[in-house]
Amino acid sequence: MTLFPLRAIRRPVPVRRRPVPIGGRLVPILALALAACGGDAAPPVPASLTVFPNALSFASLADTARLSATVRDENGEVMPGATITWLSDDATIARITPPERAPSVLVTSVANGNATITATAGSARGSATVQVEQVATTVEITAPTDSLMVGDSVQMTAHATDAAGSDVADALFSWESSDPGVATVDDNGWVRARAPGSAEITATLGELRASAALTLLPLPERTVLQAIYDAGGGALWKDNTNWLTDAPLAEWFGVHLNDDGQVVHLLLTDNGLIGTIAPEITSLTHLESLHIGLNDLAGPLPPEIAHLKRLKSLELTYNAFDGPIPPEIGGLESLEWLGAFGNAFSGEIPPEIGKLGQLQSLDLCYNRLTGPIPPEIGDLASLKRLALCGIDANPTEGNRLSGEIPSEIGKLTNLSLLSLGANRLTGPIPPEIGNLTELDSLLLYSNELTAIPPEIGNLESLEWLVLYGNRLAGSIPPEIGKLHNLRILHIGWGWASGRNLLTGPIPPEIGNLTGLQHVDLGGNQLSGPIPPEIGNLRSLTNLELGSNMLEGAIPAEIGNLTRLTSFAACPNSLEGRIPPEFGKLQRLTQLFLRTNELSGPMPADLGQLHSLRQLIVAGNRLTSAVPASMVSLSRLREFYWQNNDGLCVPLLTEFDSWLARIPAHRGDRCAPASAQAAESHGSLEGVRMGAQRHVTRERPLSPRPVADLLRRR
């Protein structure tokens, strides 16, 4: 018989006590003992079950952990011998060992997922959750090969293992190449060789990485040239001699080899190429010159071209390449010449272009580039030519660079040409421009620049200074007189961009520039007299001073300009007589003096200008009859003299015949006897009110020569 403590008896048996004789006092004690050992008492039963721990988390497969259970009765007393049954609701995720009844079990992780382990004792139950989520601790990559021919592909594989060495199924790797220009890799590990070189292919899982090195081998040069032929419409080339034949490559038109038989120059300029550049060209690893300008090639510039590490000259001028300039171009570490004039490249100039440390010439004019000039361009320490100009006559079709000219441009101390015209550049010309002491051409026309810095006087090598069509204000700095090599000075009207608003006098220091050939100061708000020092410019062929507020007399020193072919000063407020010294300018073809305050008769000396084709003196205060010497001007094609104070052409046969030979003429006629007193029939005020900004029919300095200069250089 099993004995239980009294406190374990659920229903105590009542004891009836009866009076007994004193001698019978042992009777109630016996009864009490019998009651305590009564045979109908119930055993304790489990009331609660607790599983410890109540949750397990596994980061590896085949890992183990132990669960234990504690059973208590309704009085909270532990029942150490209670029978416990264990069960896993998903043994494919968490398996329990041993399966028999035990106070504790060993749980083993089998697969990723969640399971519940339940313990039962009688009607008492308890459970613990189990989470199995593998955490990779190692990643390995497998490559079928360590080398690959350009154009070929191969798939790499990667697998991950947890801390117990079990494979992590369904691991999602990200793939990357250390040099996508050499080899690319997709999300499934497929690697494609794009250019010769080497690359590391890396698989990443979280913070774990594994890499495999891959060498990309160039295609045979004959195969590459065949690809170039096919992509560029070789059958239609002007000259495709020996291409696609078994002849030695040195005998293929435009192909030049070095002493080792490797292609170093591919010269196919103006040869009728049409199509695209074959990306296989990157296998020409010894190529130094690629000249394919003046063709009809189109599409984007393949970024693979950046792997031509020996390339020194890349000439793409006048094709139809479009899209952005690939930033990979910064990898052309040997490049000295980059010409892309006249294409349709768009977007911003990549800052990576500043990595071309050997570059001497960069020409991106006549494209569709936008955005700022990257300050990294100041890192091109070897640069001698920088041309980023738009199309002056058709601005919407050209570059539209914006923002200020970066001050870093002052670091390009070897620069001889700086052409940024026909863009939307704003702000003042940076004073750092004065550092460019080797500069011979500064072409900043047709922008929105606002000021000329005095440091411009430091550019003592300057020959071309073209600033027309901006928003320049203030005065012309007198330091301009230090530019002793200057031949072209153009600060006048823009082609399509508007006008400058320079004020103050023409600095007399301009007379120091004795090499000047073209001067255009028209369309500003310059005032004061024409300085007599202008007569020192004996090389001058074109002088445009129109549409200003100049006053005073035309200096007699104008007669020193014996090479002058064009003189324009209308409209202004010039007064006094037309100086007879004009008669010394035997090469003059254009003389525009319209809408001023000039007075007196026309000097007979003008009859010596036998090369003159255009003479416009309308809208002044000139008097008297045209001198008879004028009939000797046999080449004259335009003559306007109306709206003066009596200037007239005599009604004589000689003058009739003379005017008949001039296709465009207008003005008053007068009888010989009254010619001196002839009155003007037009309204001088009307002429002034309707005056054009320039009466010059033919600009002394058209913007077109700027483009000619760029092409010529």
Side-chain angles (χ1 to χ4, degrees), residues 282-363:
T282 58
S283 286
L284 299 180
T285 55
H286 292 83
L287 196 65
E288 296 180 7
S289 303
L290 177 60
H291 290 190
I292 50 177
L294 298 172
N295 285 295
D296 290 305
L297 296 170
L301 188 66
E304 292 89 345
I305 208 168
H307 294 276
L308 299 174
K309 299 298 184 182
R310 290 184 172 89
L311 195 65
K312 295 181 179 180
S313 180
L314 178 58
E315 180 54 72
L316 309 173
T317 295
Y318 282 126
N319 278 285
F321 292 113
D322 57 18
I325 297 172
E328 292 85 352
I329 204 165
L332 294 174
E333 55 195 34
S334 300
L335 199 64
E336 298 176 1
W337 177 283
L338 175 54
F341 185 104
N343 283 278
F345 287 116
S346 58
E348 297 189 2
I349 299 172
E352 290 80 359
I353 210 160
K355 297 178 181 179
L356 303 178
Q358 303 300 316
L359 198 64
Q360 297 181 25
S361 178
L362 175 60
D363 189 347

Coordinates of all heavy atoms in Angstrom, one line a residue, residues 282-363:
T282 N 37.8 47.0 -79.4 CA 38.6 47.0 -78.2 C 39.7 45.9 -78.2 O 40.6 46.0 -77.3 CB 37.8 46.9 -76.9 OG1 37.0 45.7 -77.0 CG2 36.8 48.1 -76.8
S283 N 39.6 45.0 -79.1 CA 40.6 43.9 -79.1 C 41.8 44.4 -79.9 O 42.8 43.7 -79.9 CB 40.0 42.7 -79.8 OG 39.2 42.0 -78.9
L284 N 41.8 45.6 -80.5 CA 43.0 46.2 -81.1 C 43.8 46.8 -80.0 O 43.9 48.1 -80.0 CB 42.6 47.1 -82.2 CG 41.7 46.5 -83.4 CD1 41.4 47.6 -84.4 CD2 42.5 45.4 -84.0
T285 N 44.4 46.0 -79.2 CA 45.0 46.5 -78.0 C 46.3 47.4 -78.2 O 46.7 48.1 -77.3 CB 45.4 45.4 -77.1 OG1 46.2 44.5 -77.8 CG2 44.2 44.6 -76.6
H286 N 46.8 47.4 -79.4 CA 48.0 48.3 -79.7 C 47.6 49.5 -80.6 O 48.5 50.2 -81.0 CB 49.0 47.4 -80.5 CG 49.7 46.4 -79.6 ND1 49.1 45.1 -79.4 CD2 50.8 46.4 -78.9 CE1 49.8 44.4 -78.6 NE2 50.9 45.1 -78.3
L287 N 46.3 49.7 -80.7 CA 45.8 50.8 -81.6 C 46.2 52.2 -81.0 O 46.0 52.4 -79.8 CB 44.3 50.8 -81.8 CG 43.7 51.6 -82.9 CD1 44.2 51.1 -84.2 CD2 42.2 51.6 -82.8
E288 N 46.8 53.0 -81.8 CA 47.2 54.4 -81.3 C 46.4 55.5 -82.0 O 46.3 56.6 -81.4 CB 48.7 54.6 -81.6 CG 49.6 53.7 -80.9 CD 51.1 53.9 -81.2 OE1 51.4 54.9 -81.9 OE2 52.0 53.1 -80.8
S289 N 45.9 55.2 -83.2 CA 45.2 56.3 -83.9 C 43.9 55.6 -84.5 O 44.0 54.6 -85.2 CB 46.0 56.9 -85.1 OG 47.2 57.4 -84.6
L290 N 42.8 56.2 -84.2 CA 41.5 55.8 -84.8 C 40.9 57.1 -85.5 O 40.3 57.9 -84.7 CB 40.6 55.2 -83.8 CG 39.2 54.8 -84.3 CD1 39.3 53.8 -85.4 CD2 38.3 54.3 -83.1
H291 N 41.0 57.2 -86.8 CA 40.5 58.4 -87.5 C 39.3 57.9 -88.4 O 39.5 57.3 -89.4 CB 41.6 59.0 -88.3 CG 42.6 59.7 -87.5 ND1 43.6 60.5 -88.0 CD2 42.8 59.7 -86.2 CE1 44.4 60.9 -87.1 NE2 43.9 60.5 -85.9
I292 N 38.1 58.3 -88.0 CA 36.9 57.9 -88.7 C 36.0 59.1 -88.9 O 34.8 58.9 -89.0 CB 36.2 56.7 -88.0 CG1 35.9 57.0 -86.5 CG2 36.9 55.4 -88.2 CD1 35.2 56.0 -85.8
G293 N 36.5 60.3 -89.0 CA 35.7 61.5 -89.2 C 35.2 61.6 -90.6 O 35.6 60.9 -91.5
L294 N 34.3 62.5 -90.8 CA 33.7 62.8 -92.1 C 33.1 61.5 -92.7 O 33.2 61.2 -93.9 CB 34.8 63.4 -93.1 CG 35.4 64.7 -92.6 CD1 36.5 65.1 -93.5 CD2 34.3 65.8 -92.6
N295 N 32.3 60.8 -91.9 CA 31.6 59.6 -92.4 C 30.1 59.8 -91.9 O 29.7 60.8 -91.5 CB 32.2 58.4 -91.8 CG 33.5 58.0 -92.6 OD1 33.5 57.7 -93.8 ND2 34.6 58.1 -91.9
D296 N 29.4 58.7 -91.9 CA 28.0 58.7 -91.5 C 27.7 57.7 -90.4 O 26.7 57.0 -90.3 CB 27.1 58.4 -92.7 CG 27.0 59.5 -93.7 OD1 26.7 60.7 -93.3 OD2 27.3 59.3 -94.9
L297 N 28.7 57.5 -89.5 CA 28.5 56.6 -88.4 C 27.6 57.3 -87.3 O 27.6 58.5 -87.2 CB 29.9 56.3 -87.7 CG 30.9 55.6 -88.6 CD1 32.3 55.6 -88.0 CD2 30.4 54.2 -88.9
A298 N 26.8 56.4 -86.7 CA 25.8 56.9 -85.8 C 25.7 56.1 -84.6 O 26.5 55.1 -84.4 CB 24.4 57.0 -86.5
G299 N 24.8 56.4 -83.7 CA 24.6 55.7 -82.4 C 25.5 56.1 -81.4 O 26.3 57.0 -81.5
P300 N 25.4 55.5 -80.2 CA 26.3 55.9 -79.1 C 27.7 55.5 -79.3 O 28.0 54.5 -80.0 CB 25.6 55.2 -77.9 CG 24.9 54.0 -78.4 CD 24.4 54.5 -79.8
L301 N 28.6 56.2 -78.6 CA 30.0 55.7 -78.6 C 30.1 54.6 -77.7 O 29.8 54.7 -76.5 CB 30.9 56.9 -78.2 CG 32.4 56.7 -78.3 CD1 32.8 56.7 -79.8 CD2 33.1 57.9 -77.6
P302 N 30.6 53.4 -78.2 CA 30.6 52.2 -77.3 C 31.6 52.5 -76.1 O 32.8 52.9 -76.4 CB 31.1 51.1 -78.2 CG 31.7 51.8 -79.4 CD 31.1 53.1 -79.5
P303 N 31.2 52.2 -74.9 CA 32.1 52.5 -73.8 C 33.3 51.6 -73.8 O 34.4 51.9 -73.2 CB 31.2 52.2 -72.5 CG 30.1 51.3 -73.0 CD 29.9 51.8 -74.5
E304 N 33.2 50.4 -74.6 CA 34.4 49.5 -74.7 C 35.6 50.2 -75.3 O 36.7 49.8 -75.1 CB 34.0 48.3 -75.5 CG 33.0 47.4 -74.9 CD 31.6 47.8 -75.3 OE1 31.3 48.9 -75.7 OE2 30.7 46.9 -75.0
I305 N 35.4 51.3 -76.0 CA 36.5 52.0 -76.6 C 37.5 52.5 -75.6 O 38.6 52.8 -75.9 CB 35.9 53.1 -77.5 CG1 36.9 53.4 -78.7 CG2 35.6 54.4 -76.8 CD1 36.3 54.3 -79.8
A306 N 37.0 52.7 -74.4 CA 37.8 53.3 -73.3 C 39.0 52.3 -72.9 O 39.9 52.7 -72.2 CB 37.0 53.6 -72.1
H307 N 38.9 51.1 -73.4 CA 40.0 50.1 -73.1 C 41.1 50.0 -74.1 O 41.9 49.2 -74.0 CB 39.3 48.7 -72.9 CG 38.4 48.7 -71.7 ND1 38.8 48.5 -70.4 CD2 37.1 48.9 -71.6 CE1 37.8 48.5 -69.6 NE2 36.7 48.8 -70.3
L308 N 41.1 51.0 -75.0 CA 42.2 51.1 -76.0 C 43.3 51.9 -75.3 O 43.4 53.1 -75.5 CB 41.7 51.8 -77.3 CG 40.6 51.0 -78.0 CD1 40.2 51.8 -79.2 CD2 41.1 49.6 -78.5
K309 N 44.0 51.3 -74.4 CA 44.9 52.0 -73.5 C 46.0 52.7 -74.2 O 46.6 53.6 -73.6 CB 45.4 51.0 -72.4 CG 44.3 50.4 -71.5 CD 43.6 51.4 -70.7 CE 42.6 50.8 -69.8 NZ 41.8 51.8 -69.0
R310 N 46.3 52.3 -75.4 CA 47.4 52.9 -76.1 C 47.0 54.0 -77.1 O 47.8 54.6 -77.7 CB 48.2 51.9 -76.9 CG 49.1 50.9 -76.0 CD 49.9 50.0 -76.9 NE 50.8 49.2 -76.1 CZ 50.5 48.0 -75.6 NH1 49.3 47.5 -75.7 NH2 51.5 47.3 -74.9
L311 N 45.7 54.2 -77.1 CA 45.1 55.2 -78.1 C 45.6 56.6 -77.8 O 45.4 57.1 -76.7 CB 43.6 55.1 -78.1 CG 42.9 55.8 -79.3 CD1 43.2 55.0 -80.6 CD2 41.4 55.8 -79.1
K312 N 46.1 57.3 -78.8 CA 46.6 58.6 -78.7 C 45.7 59.6 -79.4 O 45.6 60.8 -79.0 CB 48.0 58.7 -79.2 CG 49.0 58.0 -78.4 CD 50.4 58.1 -78.9 CE 51.5 57.4 -78.1 NZ 52.8 57.5 -78.6
S313 N 45.1 59.2 -80.5 CA 44.3 60.1 -81.3 C 43.0 59.5 -81.7 O 43.0 58.4 -82.3 CB 45.1 60.5 -82.6 OG 44.4 61.4 -83.4
L314 N 41.9 60.1 -81.3 CA 40.5 59.7 -81.6 C 39.8 60.8 -82.4 O 39.5 61.8 -81.8 CB 39.8 59.3 -80.3 CG 38.4 58.8 -80.5 CD1 38.2 57.6 -81.4 CD2 37.7 58.5 -79.1
E315 N 39.6 60.6 -83.6 CA 39.0 61.6 -84.5 C 37.6 61.1 -85.0 O 37.5 60.2 -85.8 CB 39.9 61.9 -85.7 CG 39.4 62.9 -86.7 CD 39.0 64.2 -86.0 OE1 39.9 64.9 -85.6 OE2 37.8 64.5 -85.8
L316 N 36.6 61.8 -84.5 CA 35.2 61.4 -84.8 C 34.4 62.5 -85.5 O 33.2 62.4 -85.7 CB 34.5 61.1 -83.5 CG 35.1 60.1 -82.5 CD1 34.3 60.0 -81.2 CD2 35.2 58.7 -83.2
T317 N 35.1 63.6 -85.9 CA 34.5 64.8 -86.4 C 33.5 64.5 -87.6 O 33.8 63.7 -88.4 CB 35.6 65.8 -86.9 OG1 36.3 66.2 -85.7 CG2 35.0 67.0 -87.5
Y318 N 32.4 65.2 -87.5 CA 31.4 65.2 -88.6 C 30.9 63.8 -88.9 O 31.1 63.2 -89.9 CB 31.9 65.8 -89.9 CG 31.9 67.3 -89.8 CD1 33.0 68.1 -90.1 CD2 30.7 68.0 -89.6 CE1 33.0 69.5 -90.1 CE2 30.6 69.4 -89.5 CZ 31.8 70.1 -89.8 OH 31.7 71.5 -89.7
N319 N 30.3 63.2 -87.8 CA 29.5 62.0 -87.9 C 28.1 62.3 -87.3 O 27.7 63.4 -87.2 CB 30.2 60.8 -87.3 CG 31.2 60.1 -88.1 OD1 30.9 59.4 -89.1 ND2 32.5 60.4 -87.8
A320 N 27.4 61.2 -86.9 CA 26.1 61.4 -86.3 C 26.0 60.7 -84.9 O 25.0 60.2 -84.6 CB 25.0 61.0 -87.2
F321 N 27.2 60.6 -84.3 CA 27.2 59.9 -83.0 C 26.3 60.7 -82.0 O 26.2 61.9 -82.0 CB 28.6 59.8 -82.4 CG 29.5 58.9 -83.1 CD1 30.6 59.4 -83.8 CD2 29.2 57.5 -83.2 CE1 31.4 58.6 -84.5 CE2 30.1 56.7 -83.9 CZ 31.2 57.2 -84.6
D322 N 25.5 59.9 -81.2 CA 24.6 60.6 -80.3 C 24.7 60.0 -78.9 O 25.5 59.1 -78.6 CB 23.2 60.6 -80.8 CG 22.7 59.2 -81.1 OD1 23.3 58.2 -80.6 OD2 21.7 59.0 -81.9
G323 N 23.8 60.4 -78.0 CA 23.8 59.9 -76.6 C 24.9 60.6 -75.8 O 25.6 61.4 -76.3
P324 N 25.0 60.2 -74.6 CA 26.0 60.8 -73.7 C 27.4 60.4 -74.0 O 27.6 59.3 -74.6 CB 25.6 60.4 -72.3 CG 24.8 59.1 -72.5 CD 24.1 59.2 -73.8
I325 N 28.3 61.2 -73.7 CA 29.7 60.8 -73.8 C 30.0 59.8 -72.6 O 29.8 60.2 -71.5 CB 30.7 62.0 -73.7 CG1 30.4 63.0 -74.9 CG2 32.1 61.6 -73.7 CD1 31.2 64.3 -74.7
P326 N 30.4 58.6 -72.9 CA 30.5 57.6 -71.8 C 31.5 58.0 -70.8 O 32.6 58.4 -71.2 CB 30.8 56.3 -72.5 CG 31.4 56.7 -73.8 CD 30.8 58.0 -74.2
P327 N 31.2 58.0 -69.5 CA 32.2 58.3 -68.5 C 33.5 57.5 -68.6 O 34.5 57.9 -68.1 CB 31.5 58.2 -67.2 CG 30.3 57.3 -67.5 CD 29.9 57.6 -68.9
E328 N 33.3 56.3 -69.1 CA 34.5 55.4 -69.3 C 35.6 56.0 -70.1 O 36.7 55.5 -70.1 CB 34.0 54.0 -69.9 CG 33.2 53.2 -69.0 CD 31.7 53.5 -69.1 OE1 31.4 54.5 -69.7 OE2 30.9 52.8 -68.5
I329 N 35.3 57.1 -70.8 CA 36.3 57.7 -71.7 C 37.5 58.1 -70.9 O 38.6 58.3 -71.4 CB 35.7 58.8 -72.5 CG1 36.5 59.1 -73.8 CG2 35.5 60.1 -71.6 CD1 35.8 59.9 -74.8
G330 N 37.2 58.3 -69.6 CA 38.3 58.7 -68.7 C 39.4 57.7 -68.6 O 40.5 57.9 -68.0
G331 N 39.2 56.5 -69.1 CA 40.1 55.4 -69.0 C 41.2 55.5 -70.2 O 42.1 54.7 -70.2
L332 N 41.0 56.4 -71.1 CA 41.9 56.5 -72.2 C 43.2 57.3 -71.8 O 43.4 58.4 -72.2 CB 41.3 57.2 -73.4 CG 40.1 56.4 -74.1 CD1 39.4 57.2 -75.2 CD2 40.6 55.1 -74.7
E333 N 44.0 56.6 -71.0 CA 45.1 57.3 -70.3 C 46.2 57.8 -71.2 O 47.0 58.6 -70.8 CB 45.6 56.3 -69.3 CG 46.1 55.0 -69.9 CD 46.4 53.9 -68.8 OE1 45.6 53.9 -67.8 OE2 47.3 53.1 -69.0
S334 N 46.2 57.3 -72.4 CA 47.3 57.8 -73.4 C 46.8 58.8 -74.4 O 47.5 59.3 -75.2 CB 47.9 56.6 -74.1 OG 48.5 55.7 -73.2
L335 N 45.5 59.1 -74.3 CA 44.9 60.0 -75.3 C 45.5 61.4 -75.3 O 45.6 62.0 -74.3 CB 43.4 60.0 -75.1 CG 42.5 60.5 -76.3 CD1 42.7 59.5 -77.5 CD2 41.1 60.7 -75.9
E336 N 45.8 61.9 -76.5 CA 46.3 63.2 -76.7 C 45.4 64.1 -77.5 O 45.4 65.3 -77.4 CB 47.7 63.1 -77.4 CG 48.8 62.4 -76.6 CD 50.1 62.3 -77.3 OE1 50.2 62.8 -78.5 OE2 51.0 61.7 -76.8
W337 N 44.6 63.5 -78.4 CA 43.7 64.2 -79.3 C 42.4 63.6 -79.3 O 42.2 62.4 -79.6 CB 44.3 64.2 -80.7 CG 43.5 64.9 -81.7 CD1 42.3 64.5 -82.3 CD2 43.7 66.3 -82.3 NE1 41.8 65.4 -83.2 CE2 42.6 66.5 -83.2 CE3 44.6 67.2 -82.1 CZ2 42.5 67.7 -83.9 CZ3 44.5 68.4 -82.8 CH2 43.5 68.7 -83.7
L338 N 41.3 64.4 -79.0 CA 39.9 63.9 -79.0 C 39.1 64.9 -79.8 O 38.9 66.1 -79.4 CB 39.3 63.8 -77.6 CG 37.9 63.4 -77.6 CD1 37.6 62.2 -78.4 CD2 37.4 63.2 -76.1
G339 N 38.8 64.6 -81.0 CA 38.0 65.4 -81.9 C 36.6 64.8 -82.2 O 36.5 63.8 -82.8
A340 N 35.6 65.5 -81.7 CA 34.2 65.1 -81.9 C 33.3 66.2 -82.4 O 32.1 66.2 -82.2 CB 33.6 64.5 -80.6
F341 N 33.9 67.2 -83.1 CA 33.2 68.3 -83.7 C 32.1 67.8 -84.6 O 32.3 66.9 -85.4 CB 34.2 69.1 -84.5 CG 33.7 70.4 -85.1 CD1 34.0 71.6 -84.5 CD2 32.9 70.4 -86.2 CE1 33.5 72.8 -85.0 CE2 32.4 71.6 -86.7 CZ 32.8 72.8 -86.1
G342 N 30.9 68.4 -84.5 CA 29.9 68.1 -85.5 C 29.2 66.8 -85.4 O 28.9 66.1 -86.4
N343 N 28.8 66.4 -84.1 CA 28.0 65.2 -83.9 C 26.8 65.6 -83.2 O 26.4 66.7 -83.2 CB 28.9 64.1 -83.1 CG 29.9 63.4 -84.0 OD1 29.5 62.4 -84.7 ND2 31.1 63.8 -84.0
A344 N 26.2 64.6 -82.5 CA 24.9 64.9 -81.7 C 25.0 64.4 -80.3 O 24.0 64.0 -79.7 CB 23.7 64.3 -82.4
F345 N 26.2 64.4 -79.7 CA 26.4 64.0 -78.4 C 25.6 64.9 -77.5 O 25.5 66.1 -77.6 CB 27.9 64.0 -77.9 CG 28.7 62.9 -78.5 CD1 29.7 63.2 -79.4 CD2 28.4 61.6 -78.3 CE1 30.5 62.2 -80.0 CE2 29.2 60.6 -78.8 CZ 30.2 60.9 -79.7
S346 N 24.9 64.3 -76.5 CA 24.0 65.1 -75.6 C 24.4 64.8 -74.1 O 25.2 64.0 -73.8 CB 22.6 64.7 -75.9 OG 22.4 63.3 -75.7
G347 N 23.6 65.5 -73.2 CA 23.9 65.3 -71.8 C 25.0 66.2 -71.4 O 25.5 67.0 -72.1
E348 N 25.5 65.9 -70.2 CA 26.6 66.7 -69.6 C 28.0 66.1 -70.0 O 28.1 64.9 -70.2 CB 26.4 66.8 -68.1 CG 25.1 67.5 -67.6 CD 25.1 67.7 -66.2 OE1 26.1 67.4 -65.5 OE2 24.1 68.3 -65.7
I349 N 28.9 67.0 -69.9 CA 30.3 66.5 -70.1 C 30.7 65.8 -68.9 O 30.7 66.3 -67.8 CB 31.3 67.7 -70.3 CG1 30.9 68.5 -71.6 CG2 32.7 67.3 -70.5 CD1 31.6 69.8 -71.8
P350 N 31.1 64.5 -69.0 CA 31.4 63.7 -67.8 C 32.6 64.3 -67.1 O 33.6 64.6 -67.7 CB 31.6 62.3 -68.3 CG 32.0 62.5 -69.7 CD 31.3 63.7 -70.2
P351 N 32.6 64.4 -65.7 CA 33.8 64.9 -65.0 C 35.0 64.0 -65.2 O 36.1 64.4 -65.0 CB 33.3 64.9 -63.6 CG 32.1 64.0 -63.5 CD 31.5 64.1 -64.8
E352 N 34.7 62.7 -65.5 CA 35.8 61.8 -65.7 C 36.8 62.2 -66.8 O 37.9 61.7 -66.9 CB 35.3 60.4 -66.0 CG 34.6 59.6 -64.9 CD 33.2 60.1 -64.7 OE1 32.7 61.0 -65.4 OE2 32.6 59.5 -63.7
I353 N 36.3 63.2 -67.7 CA 37.2 63.6 -68.7 C 38.4 64.3 -68.2 O 39.5 64.4 -68.8 CB 36.4 64.6 -69.6 CG1 37.0 64.5 -71.1 CG2 36.4 66.0 -69.1 CD1 36.0 65.0 -72.1
G354 N 38.4 64.7 -66.9 CA 39.5 65.3 -66.2 C 40.6 64.3 -66.0 O 41.7 64.7 -65.6
K355 N 40.4 63.0 -66.2 CA 41.4 62.0 -66.0 C 42.4 61.9 -67.2 O 43.4 61.1 -67.1 CB 40.8 60.7 -65.7 CG 39.9 60.7 -64.4 CD 39.3 59.3 -64.2 CE 38.4 59.3 -62.9 NZ 37.8 58.0 -62.7
L356 N 42.1 62.5 -68.3 CA 42.9 62.4 -69.5 C 44.1 63.3 -69.4 O 44.2 64.3 -70.0 CB 42.0 62.7 -70.7 CG 40.7 61.9 -70.9 CD1 40.0 62.4 -72.1 CD2 41.1 60.4 -71.0
G357 N 45.0 62.8 -68.5 CA 46.2 63.7 -68.2 C 47.1 64.0 -69.4 O 47.9 64.9 -69.3
Q358 N 47.1 63.2 -70.5 CA 47.9 63.4 -71.6 C 47.3 64.2 -72.7 O 47.9 64.6 -73.7 CB 48.4 62.1 -72.2 CG 49.1 61.2 -71.2 CD 50.4 61.8 -70.7 OE1 51.2 62.4 -71.4 NE2 50.5 61.7 -69.3
L359 N 46.0 64.6 -72.5 CA 45.2 65.2 -73.6 C 45.7 66.6 -73.9 O 46.0 67.4 -73.0 CB 43.7 65.3 -73.2 CG 42.7 65.5 -74.3 CD1 42.7 64.4 -75.2 CD2 41.3 65.8 -73.7
Q360 N 45.9 66.9 -75.2 CA 46.4 68.2 -75.7 C 45.3 68.9 -76.4 O 45.4 70.1 -76.5 CB 47.6 68.0 -76.6 CG 48.8 67.3 -75.9 CD 50.0 67.2 -76.8 OE1 50.2 67.9 -77.8 NE2 50.9 66.3 -76.4
S361 N 44.4 68.2 -77.0 CA 43.3 68.9 -77.8 C 42.0 68.2 -77.5 O 41.9 67.0 -77.7 CB 43.6 68.8 -79.3 OG 42.6 69.4 -80.0
L362 N 41.0 69.0 -77.1 CA 39.6 68.5 -76.9 C 38.7 69.4 -77.6 O 38.5 70.6 -77.3 CB 39.3 68.5 -75.4 CG 37.9 68.2 -75.0 CD1 37.6 66.7 -75.4 CD2 37.7 68.3 -73.5
D363 N 38.0 68.8 -78.6 CA 37.1 69.5 -79.5 C 35.7 68.9 -79.4 O 35.5 67.8 -80.0 CB 37.6 69.6 -80.9 CG 36.8 70.6 -81.8 OD1 35.7 71.0 -81.3 OD2 37.2 70.9 -82.9

